[in-house]
């Protein structure tokens, strides 16, 4: 395994809720010519991470970098091409059907498009009750009470519960989706762009709701998003993904204060708030060109064609995601140079300041 | 919970009519469709109540009164409103029973085809891989063969009985349902709600029965109404050729076939059952077309 994480090195660490090791997923595409080989697309390549109970790990990256695929793999809605996913110490990919269905109670998802996420032909109430019915939780009467309580908790009490999805606003729909996922009291929720489709004002409400519920229910979130200001608000740790690989995993605060990987710098430097707060926190790094096609990734470090720090080493050798003394893991041959360059302008004194974007 | 703001102020509860998501007046039918619907209701009632309405037994022959004309002719005789056929059987009674038989056959046949095709379509979409390929191969195979030829071959080799005939009616249309269902299910499966229900741990029966099928039902029902006239016509063609319903039982197609020999002398023998077939199938097609435009959101 080329990627080892900081947590894994401490022997007395309690067992993580989720341990992902060497995860990869390739998709074969239709043939382009009659007899040629089927081209392959590597959506996720060698991703490893741990997620503790009650923790929020955000996965960020631009569209097409494979972050949603990571979510689907963790949920076991896709099967991995390589690697393992251990949830609560149990390898889910090899679990049989019945076991897999059982474990769904603890592993839920919330995704972006709440309108399509709800069955248009059932009331909100009926859809929230469904998970309880499937897992035969409690009696029918108790289930009703649980559903009502959950809907109340997400602010969809009373008359709203008996409506059909199209009779609700976008924010209400997303709360219904959240209620459906959380009524089973899962341990881990994969949030795939949970608020990207909502208005900014509603986004804040939904995000705060997610945080309240996390505190009350002890949930762990795998939070997939491209919205960095949002991620900074919710995440404990952040993994930056580029072309199917994690290039930097760090505490949220550390990452936003001083990203080490050149790609992380480019991403974070592009967030307006990251620059405007106290002069320039992170000197933005401009990457040239477009991300390369995942069907034909460059040799060595996937970022080297666009990276100003690239050397011959980068062109030939893929940097491993190495844990560093400061607790973060970075996959870059020149991380120190890149990080120092990013902080040059402001001296790094703000690194300890918590950053708040949301009120 | 600070949920009392912006998005809770959204849509007020709507009256039941608006609940279906379309204006109330949208279900108003054009005149032609109303006529079609009225004919369908009438024909269905006749088919249901046929044994109660017949003035004579449909098999009762009376050779003294053969080929008598209907009531409008001066040669018509008392008691036989639509005249008699070549064996002196009351044409009205036969027409009523024939309507019942033909409609029942077409209905059962259509339903068998719909259920079989829908099931295979879901199976193909659900399992994918070789199951999908086999089902779609069968679909292509059936679509490529003129069904009348298959039916002729089966009936000629296996002989004729009611149940075999019914099974054939069912096999006639299944492939359109299979193709339609497969594509509908494939796209519905990718919808968020289907993924979410799967992620909740639902078994396929719940996923398809409770969520996917109800959501793809609209186009299937329309297909049913469009397929129904085809099944009537198929029954008619086979009976006309003498391969369908066997005497003494009767059907619209068989009456049509019988009347063919007397077209010059007693045209009503063929024209009356032909008229019933024509009106029923036309009404059904008109109604189905209208239903399709109503249920298709892109045409609303």
């Amino acid at each position: 395994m080329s990627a080892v994480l900081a947590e894994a090195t401490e022997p007395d660490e309690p067992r993580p809720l989720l341990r992902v090791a060497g995860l990869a997923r390739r998709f074969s595409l239709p043939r382009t010519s009659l007899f040629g080989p089927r081209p392959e697309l590597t959506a996720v390549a060698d991703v490893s991470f741990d997620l503790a109970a009650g923790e929020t790990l955000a996965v960020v990256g631009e569209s097409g970098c494979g972050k949603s695929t990571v979510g689907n793999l963790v949920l076991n809605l896709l099967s991995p091409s390589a690697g393992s996913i251990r949830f609560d110490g149990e390898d889910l990919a090899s679990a049989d059907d019945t076991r897999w269905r059982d474990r769904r109670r603890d592993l839920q998802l919330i995704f972006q498009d709440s309108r399509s996420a709800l069955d248009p032909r059932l009331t909100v109430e009926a859809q929230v009750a469904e998970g309880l019915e499937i897992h035969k939780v409690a009696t029918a009467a108790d289930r009703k009470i649980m559903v009502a309580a959950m809907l109340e908790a997400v602010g969809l009490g009373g008359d709203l519960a008996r409506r059909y999805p199209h009779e609700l606003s976008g924010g209400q729909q997303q709360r219904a989706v959240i209620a459906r996922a959380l009524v089973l009291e899962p341990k881990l929720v994969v949030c795939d762009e949970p608020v990207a489709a909502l208005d900014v004002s509603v986004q804040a409400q939904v995000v705060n709701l997610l945080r309240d519920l996390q505190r009350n229910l002890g949930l762990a979130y795998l939070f997939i998003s491209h919205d960095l200001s949002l991620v900074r608000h919710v995440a404990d740790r952040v993994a930056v993904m580029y072309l199917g690989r994690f290039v930097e995993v760090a505490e949220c605060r550390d990452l936003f204060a001083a990203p080490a990987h050149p790609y992380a710098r480019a991403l974070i430097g592009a967030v307006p708030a990251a620059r405007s707060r106290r002069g320039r926190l992170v000197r933005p790094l401009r990457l040239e060109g477009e991300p390369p096609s995942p069907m034909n990734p460059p040799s060595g470090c996937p970022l080297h064609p666009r990276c100003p720090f690239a050397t011959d080493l980068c062109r030939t050798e893929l940097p491993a995601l190495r844990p560093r003394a400061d607790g973060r893991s970075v996959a870059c041959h020149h991380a120190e140079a890149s990080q120092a360059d990013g902080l040059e302008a402001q001296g790094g004194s703000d690194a300890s300041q918590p950053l708040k974007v949301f009120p | 919970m600070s949920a009392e703001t912006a998005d809770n102020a959204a849509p007020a509860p709507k009256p039941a009519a608006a609940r279906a998501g379309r204006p109330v007046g949208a279900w108003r039918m054009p005149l032609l469709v109303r006529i079609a619907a009225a004919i369908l209701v009438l024909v269905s009632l006749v088919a249901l109540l046929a044994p109660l309405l017949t003035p004579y037994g449909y098999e009762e022959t009376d050779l003294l009164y053969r080929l008598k004309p209907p009531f409008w002719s001066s040669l018509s005789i008392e008691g036989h409103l639509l005249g008699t056929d070549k064996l002196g059987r009351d044409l009205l009674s036969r027409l009523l029973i024939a309507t019942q038989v033909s409609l029942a056959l077409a209905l059962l046949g259509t339903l068998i085809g719909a259920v079989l095709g829908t099931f295979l379509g879901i199976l193909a979409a659900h399992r994918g891989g070789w199951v999908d390929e086999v089902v779609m191969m069968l679909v292509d195979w059936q679509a490529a063969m003129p069904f009348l030829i298959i039916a002729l071959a089966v009936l000629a080799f296996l002989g004729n009985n009611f149940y075999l005939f019914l099974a054939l009616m069912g096999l006639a249309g299944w492939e359109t349902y299979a193709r339609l269902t497969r594509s509908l299910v494939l796209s519905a499966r990718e919808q968020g709600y289907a993924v979410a229900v799967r992620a909740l741990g639902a078994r396929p029966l719940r996923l398809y029965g409770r969520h996917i099928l109800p959501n793809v039902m609209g186009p299937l029902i329309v297909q049913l109404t469009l397929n129904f006239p085809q099944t009537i016509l198929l029954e008619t063609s086979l009976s006309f050729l003498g391969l369908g319903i066997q005497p003494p039982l009767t059907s619209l197609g068989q009456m049509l076939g019988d009347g063919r020999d007397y077209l010059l002398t007693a045209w009503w023998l063929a024209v009356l059952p032909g008229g019933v077939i024509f009106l029923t199938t036309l009404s059904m097609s008109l109604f189905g077309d209208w239903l399709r435009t109503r249920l298709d959101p892109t045409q609303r």
Side-chain angles (χ1 to χ4, degrees):
Chain A
M1 211 80 336
S2 63
V4 182
L5 280 166
E7 287 84 349
T9 56
E10 292 166 36
D12 55 346
E13 175 88 8
R15 192 170 71 183
L17 179 65
L18 178 73
R19 167 160 288 175
V20 171
L23 191 65
R25 171 69 199 203
R26 292 178 288 274
F27 294 100
S28 26
L29 303 174
R31 283 186 181 83
T32 45
S33 65
L34 191 54
F35 297 108
R38 293 170 75 99
E40 274 204 341
L41 180 153
T42 305
V44 175
D46 196 15
V47 161
S48 304
F49 62 90
D50 282 357
L51 181 58
E55 189 191 18
T56 301
L57 172 66
V59 179
V60 300
E62 60 204 297
S63 313
C65 71
K67 51 192 196 299
S68 289
T69 309
V70 170
N72 285 334
L73 287 166
V74 166
L75 286 166
N76 215 337
L77 294 172
L78 275 177
S79 53
S81 308
S84 72
I85 302 163
R86 300 186 77 78
F87 180 70
D88 233 357
E90 186 179 359
D91 188 357
L92 275 186
S94 60
D96 63 25
D97 261 18
T98 322
R99 185 80 195 122
W100 183 79
R101 286 202 187 93
D102 270 5
R103 294 317 305 246
R104 305 311 313 179
R105 276 193 73 164
D106 296 329
L107 204 63
Q108 277 300 312
L109 79 162
I110 296 171
F111 38 17
Q112 176 176 1
D113 186 1
S114 52
R115 181 166 267 274
S116 90
L118 295 168
D119 188 331
R121 301 205 173 232
L122 293 175
T123 60
V124 166
E125 210 170 32
Q127 303 199 46
V128 174
E130 183 133 37
L132 298 173
E133 285 166 21
I134 289 170
H135 293 282
K136 301 197 174 60
V137 179
T139 61
D142 286 348
R143 282 204 287 263
K144 238 183 188 145
I145 297 169
M146 291 163 82
V147 168
M150 189 71 228
L151 283 169
E152 195 67 49
V154 300
L156 288 178
D159 173 52
L160 289 171
R162 279 178 297 280
R163 293 209 201 160
Y164 288 88
H166 71 265
E167 296 168 340
L168 299 176
S169 69
Q172 290 169 334
Q173 286 173 353
Q174 193 61 306
R175 287 150 189 233
V177 170
I178 292 170
R180 178 178 61 188
L182 298 193
V183 75
L184 284 167
E185 301 189 356
K187 293 177 181 156
L188 171 65
V189 181
V190 174
C191 307
D192 191 351
E193 307 271 12
V195 296
L198 304 177
D199 289 346
V200 178
S201 61
V202 184
Q203 272 189 7
Q205 288 179 23
V206 171
V207 166
N208 288 331
L209 170 65
L210 283 171
R211 286 175 52 141
D212 289 347
L213 291 167
Q214 178 172 42
R215 216 170 300 134
N216 297 339
L217 301 172
L219 306 167
Y221 288 134
L222 183 64
F223 199 94
I224 296 163
S225 181
H226 65 267
D227 184 346
L228 288 163
S229 5
L230 177 68
V231 162
R232 176 194 258 176
H233 182 60
V234 299
D236 298 318
R237 280 190 307 144
V238 181
V240 180
M241 206 169 170
Y242 182 72
L243 222 61
R245 293 170 192 279
F246 279 7
V247 294
E248 179 162 358
V249 183
E251 293 293 321
C252 183
R253 183 184 301 176
D254 297 348
L255 182 79
F256 279 93
H261 195 280
Y263 181 70
R265 252 188 78 190
L267 266 193
I268 285 163
V271 182
R275 282 179 288 173
S276 61
R277 191 145 174 107
R278 255 175 305 277
R280 293 200 154 181
L281 281 180
V282 175
R283 213 148 65 110
L285 180 70
R286 281 187 64 96
L287 295 176
E288 279 156 34
E290 289 288 309
S293 157
M295 283 164 65
N296 187 18
S299 64
C301 173
L303 191 64
H304 85 252
R306 305 173 67 194
C307 178
F309 299 94
T311 56
D312 281 340
L313 179 65
C314 303
R315 280 181 265 280
T316 50
E317 200 177 313
L318 178 71
L321 187 66
R322 276 186 302 262
R324 301 198 321 184
D326 59 0
R328 60 173 95 190
S329 306
V330 185
C332 180
H333 295 303
H334 307 291
E336 284 70 20
S338 156
Q339 189 172 14
D341 181 59
L343 295 175
E344 208 177 47
Q346 45 95 20
S349 59
D350 284 308
S352 57
Q353 288 291 320
L355 296 160
K356 273 205 163 168
V357 177
F358 280 83
Chain B
M1 228 7 275
S2 60
E4 301 309 317
T5 39
D7 70 324
N8 259 1
K14 295 169 200 163
R19 217 153 239 237
R22 54 183 79 85
V24 185
W27 281 94
R28 194 167 293 151
M29 301 180 185
L31 183 65
L32 203 60
V33 179
R34 280 182 199 219
I35 296 173
I39 291 175
L40 287 178
V41 170
L42 188 72
V43 171
S44 318
L45 278 177
V46 164
L48 274 175
L49 303 174
L52 304 174
L53 298 175
T54 52
Y56 299 88
Y58 71 94
E59 296 170 282
E60 260 173 55
T61 59
D62 189 348
L63 291 173
L64 290 176
Y65 296 99
R66 294 176 63 236
L67 298 172
K68 292 296 173 200
F71 62 90
W72 60 74
S73 159
S74 53
L75 295 172
S76 68
I77 52 166
E78 193 84 11
H80 292 289
L81 199 60
L82 294 181
T84 58
D85 71 356
K86 61 183 178 186
L87 296 176
R89 295 175 292 198
D90 180 49
L91 199 67
L92 177 61
S93 307
R94 286 184 71 73
L95 201 58
L96 290 172
I97 297 294
T99 305
Q100 184 181 41
V101 169
S102 287
L103 248 56
L105 260 176
L107 189 67
L108 284 174
T110 310
L111 282 179
I112 291 172
V115 171
L116 183 73
T118 305
F119 175 75
L120 285 175
I122 290 178
L123 191 72
H126 174 60
R127 295 300 295 272
W130 68 268
V131 177
D132 189 16
E133 282 186 24
V134 168
V135 170
M136 291 324 280
M137 207 177 69
L138 286 174
V139 165
D140 288 339
W141 182 77
Q142 171 140 16
M145 286 279 274
F147 189 73
L148 207 56
I149 309 284
I150 303 177
L152 281 176
V154 170
L155 292 171
F157 281 109
L158 297 178
N160 193 325
N161 69 56
F162 185 81
Y163 297 103
L164 184 66
F165 192 60
L166 188 60
L168 264 178
M169 297 285 103
L171 281 179
W174 74 272
E175 93 273 5
T176 46
Y177 296 100
R179 211 194 289 267
L180 187 64
T181 310
R182 176 177 171 275
S183 67
L184 288 170
V185 169
L186 278 180
S187 69
R189 266 165 63 88
E190 299 308 314
Q191 294 285 310
Y193 66 84
V195 177
V197 169
R198 222 150 51 87
L200 282 173
R203 289 169 188 287
L205 194 64
R206 175 183 279 268
L207 174 64
Y208 291 107
R210 184 152 189 231
H211 297 278
I212 291 187
L213 207 51
N215 275 295
V216 304
M217 215 47 170
L220 288 177
I221 288 174
V222 172
Q223 177 60 30
L224 206 84
T225 63
L226 296 179
N227 183 222
F228 186 73
Q230 289 172 12
T231 317
I232 295 183
L233 291 178
L234 179 70
E235 184 277 323
T236 314
S237 323
L238 286 171
S239 295
F240 179 83
L241 292 171
L243 287 161
I245 292 298
Q246 299 300 309
L249 194 59
T250 187
S251 76
L252 292 173
Q254 198 205 9
M255 287 180 73
L256 198 64
D258 273 356
R260 184 185 43 168
D261 301 337
Y262 303 92
L263 269 180
L264 290 180
T265 52
W267 53 268
W268 55 87
L269 287 183
V271 168
L272 287 174
V276 173
I277 295 169
F278 170 74
L279 280 179
T280 314
T281 51
L282 181 67
S283 305
M284 200 74 193
S285 291
L286 282 173
F287 187 73
D289 250 3
W290 174 78
L291 202 62
R292 181 175 54 186
T293 37
R294 281 270 65 80
L295 292 178
D296 185 351
T298 60
Q299 298 198 30
R300 203 173 285 154

